[in-house]
């Protein structure tokens, strides 16, 4: 992949080094020439000094042929403008932006740009890892407000209708893998031993889901 990263701070330089080490074509942009010092010795990618939303700078970095653009500067506005330019002007297939403010994250969603590492997402992820470490999301939507969780059902639920696990606005069973085959459960579908169930769950309801899955018969 050709990846352009705007912002050569701690996150940007780390990501650039990792991607370059994996053999990707990495171009990194930063206003400050001294930011280049954060890159490892022998960094095989290219460093371009300038604004991460300047078309001149972006074109010099090869954005017209980029597979991905990641905005990791310290400013929400700069990241949104750079990401929007990459997405709308140059039609870069993958565009991501770091934002901290909730309003900026909402704007990114309206523009169809995934916002990463917002304060809300970070707090939510730390909370999940502390209290719900066994419930690892397969996929997260928005800034992590809704998650897809897959889990084996405990034995005490065998024979119960899977629809009984639904909680309006919080938890919904969306898929079951049974004996190696996937199915979308009907309202009357009962749980069977060994079912691997996919739940769509609100991040704020992970505790409730854990209550379903951790409960043992007779407790």
């Amino acid at each position: 992949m050709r990846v352009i990263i705007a912002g050569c701070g701690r996150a940007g330089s780390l990501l650039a080094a990792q991607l370059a080490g994996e053999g990707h074509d990495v171009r990194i942009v930063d206003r400050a020439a001294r930011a280049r010092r954060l890159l490892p010795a022998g960094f095989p990618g290219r460093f371009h000094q300038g604004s991460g939303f300047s078309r001149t700078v972006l074109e010099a970095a090869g954005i017209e042929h980029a597979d991905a653009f990641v905005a990791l500067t310290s400013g929400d506005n700069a990241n949104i403008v750079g990401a929007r330019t990459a997405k709308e002007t140059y039609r870069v297939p993958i565009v991501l932006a770091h934002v901290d403010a909730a309003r900026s994250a909402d704007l990114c969603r309206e523009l169809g740009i995934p916002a990463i590492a917002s304060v809300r997402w970070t707090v939510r992820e730390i909370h999940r890892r502390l209290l719900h470490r066994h419930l690892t999301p397969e996929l997260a939507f928005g800034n992590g407000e809704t998650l897809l969780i897959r889990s084996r059902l405990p034995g005490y639920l065998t024979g119960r209708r899977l629809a009984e696990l639904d909680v309006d606005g919080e938890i919904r069973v969306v898929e079951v893998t049974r004996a190696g085959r996937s199915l979308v459960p009907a309202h009357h579908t009962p749980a069977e031993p060994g079912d691997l169930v996919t739940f769509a769950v609100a991040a704020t309801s992970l505790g409730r889901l854990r209550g379903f899955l951790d409960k043992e018969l007779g407790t």
Side-chain angles (χ1 to χ4, degrees), residues 42-147:
F43 175 68
R46 300 183 189 177
F47 180 91
H48 298 265
Q49 184 179 358
S51 165
F53 53 82
S54 162
R55 295 188 184 186
T56 302
V57 175
L58 291 175
E59 288 176 8
I63 195 165
E64 291 167 303
H65 303 287
D67 299 297
F69 176 87
V70 185
L72 290 174
T73 76
S74 58
D76 283 9
N77 290 339
N79 288 340
I80 291 172
V81 174
R84 188 172 186 180
T85 300
K87 179 181 175 68
E88 298 180 359
T89 302
Y90 297 102
R91 306 296 182 187
V92 178
I94 302 172
V95 176
L96 303 171
H98 169 281
V99 294
D100 284 318
R103 183 177 298 176
S104 298
D106 291 340
L107 178 57
C108 279
R109 278 196 295 274
E110 291 173 10
L111 295 172
I113 298 169
I116 55 174
S118 68
V119 170
R120 287 187 298 174
W121 182 90
T122 301
V123 170
R124 193 175 289 121
E125 182 66 6
I126 290 172
H127 180 268
R128 184 190 67 77
R129 288 177 181 271
L130 286 173
L131 301 181
H132 310 296
R133 59 190 179 278
H134 301 304
L135 300 180
T136 303
E138 296 282 320
L139 191 62
F141 299 94
N143 279 311
E145 295 89 354
T146 303
L147 308 169

Side-chain angles (χ1 to χ4, degrees), residues 5 8 11-21 24 26 28 39-40 43-44:
I5 300 171
C8 192
S13 59
L14 222 101
L15 179 61
Q18 181 175 340
L19 291 173
H24 298 289
V26 181
I28 191 158
L39 295 168
F43 175 68

